[in-house]
Amino acid sequence: METNNTIHVTKKLLFLIGLKFTTKYIKDNILSHPEHNSLLSITDTLDKYKIENLAVNINIDKLIEMPLPCIIQVKNNKAPLFFVLNNITEDTVSFYNDKNESITISKNEFVKIWTGVCLLVETTTDSIEPDIEKKLSDKRFINLITISVCFLLVLWVIYNFTNSESVLSVPSIITTTIYAVLKTLGLIVGLFLLWFEIDQYNPTLQSFCSGGSAGSKVNCNAVLGSKYAKLFNGSLSLSLLVFSYFFSTLIYLLINKFSANSISILSLFSFASLPLIIVSIYYQAFVIKQWCKFCIIIQVVMITEIALVFYTELYKTFNVFETFLLGFLFLIPILGWKLLRPLLENQKETNLHKRGLKKIKNNPDVLEGLLVKSRKIETNTEGLGITLNNETAKYNVIKVCNPYCGPCAKAHPVLEDLVKNGKINLQILFTAKSSDDHTGKSVSHLLAIDSKGDKNTTQKALDDWYHAEKRIMEYLPINTP
């Protein structure tokens, strides 16, 4: 949990102050920070939300006067650990810990765990996540589509269930419902098994799979990662086999409208899975000597299946030719997963590389090293080009560019935001050699607009120029608005 502690407290803080956010944006900013588990990563992320923040070191008497909620640092032997403080009275202190639990303790107990460091925050009228409305709109659209798909699927299942036809006696509604529920539960657990294959260190999965104590024999990693969980020299995992089994049988059941004949065929497949269950239990108990919670759930589901079909005698009718469709449905997930898994793993690896690259780019030591090796400007640039100043700026940035340069156009809105936020003063120098060619004419036009002394008009002209999809290649009169 400590690795994601900074992500957790940032999300909790934004939630308590009532600011809209997306988890992906927070994770990308914090995990790409050179010091992602530090208070600095949180403050830099809050800066992007335009939330005013201040880190202070105070005593408990002053803390009661501070605006809440705020982030506090607590004592920890390993990496820094942060909680979100949401209430303090004369006698008690309430906060959310790293497990999102609301804790209330006495002031004396709180002083023992608190380092004295806290991060105070205050929102402004400009506090917002960049492009948040578009992100939320996309999320709402996806949720709407998902709900619609699920709703239509449920209607289709109900229709098939209530209009079931069979040459044999139709099983009771209770028996058929239990059988369908078991198939659905098995499919859901199968999805978690496939998720575990590509993201086994996910905190959610690990919190479920771990035994919780040093002597526990519950360890999904040991079972699912062993050679006994794979077939054909590692080409086929039992996780994929389980998912394919429940996927094919459930879809087959739906296609055949829960007919007695289809359930009879699936009953024989349930009996055929019995050796696999016995072998799985044997290897977990006597060979690996560790247990997998997902595997135990699957075993319970499949044993219940077998008991159900045996008790209700659903296996008495069988047509071998109707198994062709079932075999087809069984192979579809195996082929699909073989094609999809490399894409998912590549996407995960790409995200790791992107965040690693951002860590390097955001590291001030790297920037200073590049500045030392770069060529220095020996000529005084005062009075040249176009200058955009901000009274609160700490740094001066000189941008040397061609007005038709694509990368320069992409860099313009970034530099413009830094100017607006009071971080830098920006001086733009153009590389035009002559006023006779199209480049020189464009530069002359921009300089002529700037010479009028209205920086807002200059800023608008630069925005219109750099935001255009195609730069204008002919001469523009100086008096053009």
Side-chain angles (χ1 to χ4, degrees), residues 157-158 160-166 169-184 249-250 253-254 256-264 266-267 305 308-309 312 314:
V157 171
I158 293 175
N160 287 338
F161 188 82
T162 55
N163 291 273
S164 174
E165 297 180 0
S166 63
S169 58
V170 180
S172 68
I173 293 178
I174 295 177
T175 302
T176 306
T177 302
I178 294 174
Y179 193 69
V181 168
L182 289 172
K183 293 293 185 186
T184 304
T249 52
L250 181 59
L253 196 63
L254 293 174
N256 287 279
K257 300 181 179 181
F258 298 89
S259 67
N261 191 52
S262 65
I263 297 179
S264 179
L266 295 181
S267 299
E305 255 189 36
L308 179 67
V309 298
T312 54
L314 299 175

Coordinates of all heavy atoms in Angstrom, one line a residue, residues 157-158 160-166 169-184 249-250 253-254 256-264 266-267 305 308-309 312 314:
V157 N -31.5 -13.0 -21.9 CA -31.4 -14.2 -21.1 C -32.8 -14.5 -20.5 O -33.2 -15.7 -20.5 CB -30.4 -14.0 -19.9 CG1 -30.5 -15.1 -18.9 CG2 -29.0 -13.9 -20.5
I158 N -33.5 -13.5 -20.0 CA -34.9 -13.7 -19.5 C -35.8 -14.3 -20.6 O -36.6 -15.2 -20.3 CB -35.5 -12.4 -18.9 CG1 -34.6 -12.0 -17.7 CG2 -36.9 -12.6 -18.5 CD1 -35.0 -10.7 -17.1
N160 N -35.0 -16.0 -23.3 CA -34.6 -17.4 -23.6 C -35.0 -18.3 -22.5 O -35.4 -19.4 -22.7 CB -33.1 -17.5 -23.8 CG -32.7 -16.9 -25.1 OD1 -33.5 -16.8 -26.1 ND2 -31.4 -16.5 -25.2
F161 N -34.9 -17.8 -21.3 CA -35.2 -18.6 -20.1 C -36.7 -19.0 -20.0 O -37.1 -20.1 -19.7 CB -34.8 -17.9 -18.8 CG -34.9 -18.8 -17.6 CD1 -33.9 -19.7 -17.3 CD2 -36.0 -18.7 -16.7 CE1 -33.9 -20.4 -16.1 CE2 -36.1 -19.4 -15.6 CZ -35.0 -20.3 -15.3
T162 N -37.5 -17.9 -20.3 CA -39.0 -18.1 -20.2 C -39.6 -18.8 -21.5 O -40.7 -19.2 -21.4 CB -39.7 -16.8 -20.0 OG1 -39.3 -15.9 -21.1 CG2 -39.3 -16.2 -18.6
N163 N -38.8 -18.8 -22.6 CA -39.3 -19.5 -23.8 C -38.5 -20.7 -24.1 O -38.4 -21.1 -25.3 CB -39.2 -18.5 -24.9 CG -40.2 -17.3 -24.8 OD1 -41.4 -17.4 -25.2 ND2 -39.8 -16.2 -24.2
S164 N -38.0 -21.4 -23.1 CA -37.2 -22.6 -23.3 C -38.1 -23.7 -23.9 O -39.2 -23.9 -23.4 CB -36.5 -23.0 -22.0 OG -35.9 -24.2 -22.2
E165 N -37.6 -24.4 -24.9 CA -38.2 -25.6 -25.5 C -37.3 -26.8 -25.5 O -36.1 -26.6 -25.8 CB -38.7 -25.3 -26.9 CG -39.7 -24.1 -27.0 CD -40.1 -23.9 -28.5 OE1 -39.6 -24.6 -29.4 OE2 -40.9 -23.0 -28.7
S166 N -37.8 -27.9 -25.3 CA -37.0 -29.1 -25.3 C -37.8 -30.3 -25.6 O -39.0 -30.4 -25.3 CB -36.2 -29.3 -24.0 OG -37.2 -29.5 -22.9
S169 N -38.3 -33.4 -20.7 CA -39.0 -32.6 -19.7 C -38.0 -31.4 -19.3 O -36.9 -31.6 -19.1 CB -39.3 -33.4 -18.5 OG -38.1 -34.0 -18.0
V170 N -38.6 -30.3 -19.2 CA -37.8 -29.1 -18.9 C -37.5 -29.1 -17.4 O -38.3 -29.3 -16.6 CB -38.6 -27.8 -19.2 CG1 -37.8 -26.6 -18.9 CG2 -39.1 -27.8 -20.7
P171 N -36.2 -28.9 -17.1 CA -35.8 -28.8 -15.7 C -36.5 -27.8 -15.0 O -37.0 -26.8 -15.5 CB -34.3 -28.5 -15.8 CG -33.9 -28.9 -17.2 CD -35.1 -28.6 -18.0
S172 N -36.6 -27.9 -13.7 CA -37.3 -26.9 -12.9 C -36.6 -25.6 -13.0 O -35.4 -25.5 -13.3 CB -37.3 -27.4 -11.4 OG -36.0 -27.4 -10.9
I173 N -37.3 -24.5 -12.8 CA -36.8 -23.2 -12.8 C -35.6 -23.0 -11.8 O -34.6 -22.4 -12.1 CB -37.9 -22.1 -12.6 CG1 -38.9 -22.2 -13.8 CG2 -37.3 -20.7 -12.5 CD1 -40.0 -21.2 -13.6
I174 N -35.8 -23.5 -10.6 CA -34.8 -23.4 -9.6 C -33.5 -24.1 -10.0 O -32.4 -23.5 -9.9 CB -35.3 -24.0 -8.2 CG1 -36.5 -23.2 -7.7 CG2 -34.2 -24.0 -7.2 CD1 -37.2 -23.7 -6.5
T175 N -33.6 -25.3 -10.5 CA -32.4 -26.0 -10.9 C -31.7 -25.3 -12.0 O -30.5 -25.1 -12.0 CB -32.8 -27.4 -11.4 OG1 -33.5 -28.1 -10.3 CG2 -31.6 -28.2 -11.8
T176 N -32.4 -24.9 -13.0 CA -31.8 -24.2 -14.2 C -31.2 -22.9 -13.7 O -30.1 -22.5 -14.2 CB -32.9 -23.9 -15.3 OG1 -33.5 -25.1 -15.6 CG2 -32.2 -23.3 -16.5
T177 N -31.8 -22.1 -12.8 CA -31.3 -20.9 -12.4 C -30.0 -21.1 -11.6 O -29.0 -20.4 -11.8 CB -32.3 -20.2 -11.4 OG1 -33.5 -20.0 -12.1 CG2 -31.8 -18.8 -10.9
I178 N -30.0 -22.1 -10.7 CA -28.7 -22.4 -10.0 C -27.6 -22.8 -10.9 O -26.5 -22.3 -10.8 CB -29.0 -23.5 -9.0 CG1 -29.9 -23.1 -7.9 CG2 -27.7 -24.0 -8.4 CD1 -30.4 -24.2 -6.9
Y179 N -27.9 -23.6 -12.0 CA -26.9 -24.0 -12.9 C -26.4 -22.8 -13.7 O -25.2 -22.7 -13.9 CB -27.6 -25.0 -13.9 CG -26.6 -25.7 -14.8 CD1 -25.7 -26.7 -14.2 CD2 -26.5 -25.5 -16.1 CE1 -24.8 -27.4 -14.9 CE2 -25.6 -26.2 -16.9 CZ -24.8 -27.1 -16.3 OH -23.9 -27.8 -17.1
A180 N -27.2 -21.9 -14.1 CA -26.8 -20.7 -14.8 C -26.0 -19.7 -13.9 O -25.0 -19.1 -14.4 CB -28.0 -19.9 -15.4
V181 N -26.4 -19.6 -12.7 CA -25.6 -18.8 -11.7 C -24.2 -19.3 -11.5 O -23.2 -18.6 -11.4 CB -26.4 -18.7 -10.4 CG1 -25.5 -18.1 -9.3 CG2 -27.6 -17.8 -10.6
L182 N -24.1 -20.7 -11.4 CA -22.8 -21.3 -11.2 C -21.9 -21.0 -12.4 O -20.7 -20.7 -12.3 CB -22.9 -22.8 -11.0 CG -23.6 -23.3 -9.7 CD1 -23.8 -24.8 -9.7 CD2 -22.6 -22.9 -8.5
K183 N -22.5 -21.1 -13.6 CA -21.7 -20.8 -14.8 C -21.2 -19.3 -14.9 O -20.1 -19.0 -15.2 CB -22.5 -21.1 -16.1 CG -22.9 -22.6 -16.3 CD -21.6 -23.4 -16.6 CE -21.9 -24.8 -17.0 NZ -20.7 -25.6 -17.2
T184 N -22.1 -18.4 -14.5 CA -21.8 -17.0 -14.4 C -20.7 -16.7 -13.4 O -19.7 -16.0 -13.7 CB -23.0 -16.2 -14.1 OG1 -24.1 -16.5 -15.1 CG2 -22.7 -14.7 -14.2
T249 N -19.5 -22.9 -22.2 CA -20.7 -23.5 -21.7 C -21.9 -22.6 -21.4 O -23.0 -22.9 -21.7 CB -20.4 -24.3 -20.4 OG1 -19.7 -23.5 -19.5 CG2 -19.5 -25.5 -20.7
L250 N -21.5 -21.4 -20.9 CA -22.6 -20.4 -20.6 C -23.2 -19.8 -21.9 O -24.4 -19.7 -22.1 CB -22.0 -19.2 -19.8 CG -23.0 -18.1 -19.4 CD1 -24.2 -18.7 -18.6 CD2 -22.3 -17.0 -18.7
L253 N -25.3 -22.4 -23.5 CA -26.6 -22.5 -22.8 C -27.6 -21.4 -23.2 O -28.8 -21.6 -23.4 CB -26.3 -22.4 -21.3 CG -27.5 -22.8 -20.3 CD1 -27.8 -24.2 -20.5 CD2 -27.0 -22.5 -18.9
L254 N -27.0 -20.2 -23.4 CA -27.8 -19.0 -23.9 C -28.3 -19.2 -25.3 O -29.5 -18.9 -25.6 CB -27.0 -17.7 -23.8 CG -26.7 -17.3 -22.3 CD1 -25.7 -16.1 -22.4 CD2 -27.9 -17.0 -21.5
N256 N -28.9 -22.0 -26.9 CA -29.9 -23.0 -26.9 C -31.1 -22.8 -26.0 O -31.9 -23.7 -25.8 CB -29.3 -24.4 -26.6 CG -28.4 -24.9 -27.7 OD1 -28.8 -25.4 -28.7 ND2 -27.1 -24.6 -27.6
K257 N -31.2 -21.5 -25.5 CA -32.3 -21.1 -24.7 C -32.6 -22.0 -23.5 O -33.8 -22.3 -23.2 CB -33.6 -21.0 -25.6 CG -33.4 -20.0 -26.8 CD -34.7 -20.0 -27.6 CE -34.6 -19.0 -28.7 NZ -35.8 -18.9 -29.5
F258 N -31.6 -22.4 -22.9 CA -31.7 -23.2 -21.6 C -32.5 -24.5 -21.8 O -33.2 -24.9 -20.9 CB -32.4 -22.4 -20.5 CG -31.6 -21.2 -20.1 CD1 -31.8 -19.9 -20.7 CD2 -30.6 -21.2 -19.1 CE1 -31.1 -18.8 -20.4 CE2 -29.9 -20.1 -18.7 CZ -30.1 -18.9 -19.4
S259 N -32.4 -25.1 -23.0 CA -33.2 -26.3 -23.3 C -32.6 -27.4 -22.5 O -31.5 -27.5 -22.0 CB -33.1 -26.6 -24.8 OG -31.8 -27.0 -25.1
A260 N -33.5 -28.4 -22.2 CA -33.1 -29.6 -21.4 C -32.0 -30.4 -22.2 O -31.1 -30.9 -21.5 CB -34.3 -30.5 -21.2
N261 N -32.0 -30.4 -23.5 CA -31.0 -31.1 -24.3 C -29.6 -30.4 -24.1 O -28.6 -31.1 -24.0 CB -31.4 -31.2 -25.7 CG -30.5 -32.1 -26.5 OD1 -30.3 -33.2 -26.1 ND2 -30.0 -31.6 -27.6
S262 N -29.6 -29.1 -24.1 CA -28.3 -28.4 -24.0 C -27.7 -28.6 -22.6 O -26.5 -28.8 -22.4 CB -28.5 -26.9 -24.3 OG -29.4 -26.3 -23.3
I263 N -28.6 -28.6 -21.6 CA -28.1 -28.8 -20.2 C -27.6 -30.2 -20.0 O -26.6 -30.5 -19.3 CB -29.2 -28.5 -19.2 CG1 -29.6 -27.0 -19.2 CG2 -28.8 -28.8 -17.8 CD1 -30.7 -26.6 -18.3
S264 N -28.3 -31.2 -20.8 CA -27.8 -32.6 -20.7 C -26.4 -32.7 -21.3 O -25.6 -33.4 -20.7 CB -28.8 -33.4 -21.5 OG -28.4 -34.8 -21.4
L266 N -24.1 -30.3 -21.5 CA -23.2 -29.6 -20.6 C -23.0 -30.4 -19.3 O -21.9 -30.3 -18.7 CB -23.7 -28.2 -20.2 CG -23.9 -27.3 -21.4 CD1 -24.4 -25.9 -20.9 CD2 -22.5 -27.1 -22.1
S267 N -23.9 -31.2 -18.9 CA -23.8 -32.1 -17.7 C -22.6 -33.0 -17.9 O -21.8 -33.3 -17.0 CB -25.1 -32.8 -17.5 OG -26.1 -32.0 -17.2
E305 N -21.6 -27.9 -9.4 CA -22.1 -28.3 -10.7 C -22.4 -29.8 -10.9 O -23.4 -30.2 -11.3 CB -21.2 -27.8 -11.9 CG -21.6 -26.5 -12.6 CD -20.7 -26.3 -13.8 OE1 -20.3 -27.2 -14.5 OE2 -20.5 -25.1 -14.1
L308 N -25.1 -31.1 -8.7 CA -26.4 -30.6 -9.2 C -26.9 -31.5 -10.3 O -28.0 -32.0 -10.3 CB -26.3 -29.2 -9.6 CG -27.6 -28.6 -10.1 CD1 -28.7 -28.5 -9.0 CD2 -27.4 -27.2 -10.7
V309 N -26.0 -31.7 -11.3 CA -26.5 -32.4 -12.5 C -26.7 -33.9 -12.2 O -27.5 -34.6 -12.7 CB -25.5 -32.3 -13.7 CG1 -25.4 -30.8 -14.1 CG2 -24.1 -32.8 -13.3
T312 N -30.1 -34.2 -10.1 CA -31.3 -33.9 -10.9 C -31.3 -34.8 -12.1 O -32.3 -34.6 -12.9 CB -31.3 -32.4 -11.2 OG1 -30.1 -32.1 -11.9 CG2 -31.5 -31.5 -10.0
L314 N -29.7 -34.7 -15.0 CA -29.8 -33.9 -16.2 C -28.9 -34.4 -17.4 O -28.9 -33.8 -18.5 CB -29.4 -32.4 -15.9 CG -30.2 -31.7 -14.9 CD1 -29.6 -30.3 -14.6 CD2 -31.6 -31.5 -15.4

